[in-house]
């Protein structure tokens, strides 16, 4: 059993920044990967960033590389996504996820309910 609760979504101007948080509970995450997916209208959910909970290895999709930073705070079982230089095309529902393989979208088994991020142009 894993419960994931996102927070931090909202409205932001293009070029601005936003930080998403995901509080995880239910089991130890020592053997888990965590990540942030996003889904825009008419598009499939995509893995924007992933992290290995134990090793801190990270993955970023090319479109966010250099602008987004994924991190985790182990003691709080909390995942973060720092989003800088936001673009209108970043408008999407962002989902926190947990699974086994941080860089493989198919490796995620649990998802939060999502938080809306809207970037105005």
């Amino acid at each position: 059993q894993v419960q994931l609760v996102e927070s931090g979504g909202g409205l932001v101007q293009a070029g601005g920044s936003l930080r998403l948080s995901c509080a995880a509970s239910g089991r130890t995450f020592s053997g888990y990967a965590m990540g942030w997916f996003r889904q825009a209208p008419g598009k499939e959910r995509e893995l924007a960033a992933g992290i290995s909970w134990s090793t801190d290895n990270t993955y970023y999709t090319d479109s966010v590389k250099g602008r987004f930073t994924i991190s985790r705070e182990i003691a709080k079982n909390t995942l973060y996504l720092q989003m800088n230089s936001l673009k209108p095309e970043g408008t999407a529902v962002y989902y926190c996820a947990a699974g086994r393989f941080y860089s493989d979208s198919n490796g995620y088994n649990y998802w939060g309910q999502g938080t809306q991020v809207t970037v105005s142009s």
Side-chain angles (χ1 to χ4, degrees), residues 25-113:
S25 62
R27 68 172 73 178
T28 180
F29 276 76
S30 296
Y32 270 80
M34 294 190 72
W36 290 96
F37 286 75
R38 63 182 183 177
Q39 187 168 25
K43 298 185 181 297
E44 293 188 348
R45 193 176 299 186
E46 68 168 347
L47 178 61
I51 187 167
S52 171
W53 197 255
S54 296
T55 68
D56 203 28
N57 289 346
T58 57
Y59 162 84
Y60 299 96
T61 192
D62 286 344
S63 61
V64 309
K65 199 175 187 68
R67 299 185 297 113
F68 289 12
T69 303
I70 188 171
S71 62
R72 87 279 199 228
E73 191 168 0
I74 295 174
K76 294 185 177 181
N77 277 345
T78 300
L79 180 74
Y80 302 100
L81 185 67
Q82 178 67 46
M83 304 183 292
N84 297 327
S85 301
L86 281 162
K87 302 176 180 180
E89 51 263 45
T91 295
V93 178
Y94 285 71
Y95 299 88
C96 180
R100 298 291 186 183
F101 309 104
Y102 71 97
S103 63
D104 184 355
S105 62
N106 293 322
Y108 289 85
N109 308 112
Y110 306 98
W111 291 267
Q113 294 300 308

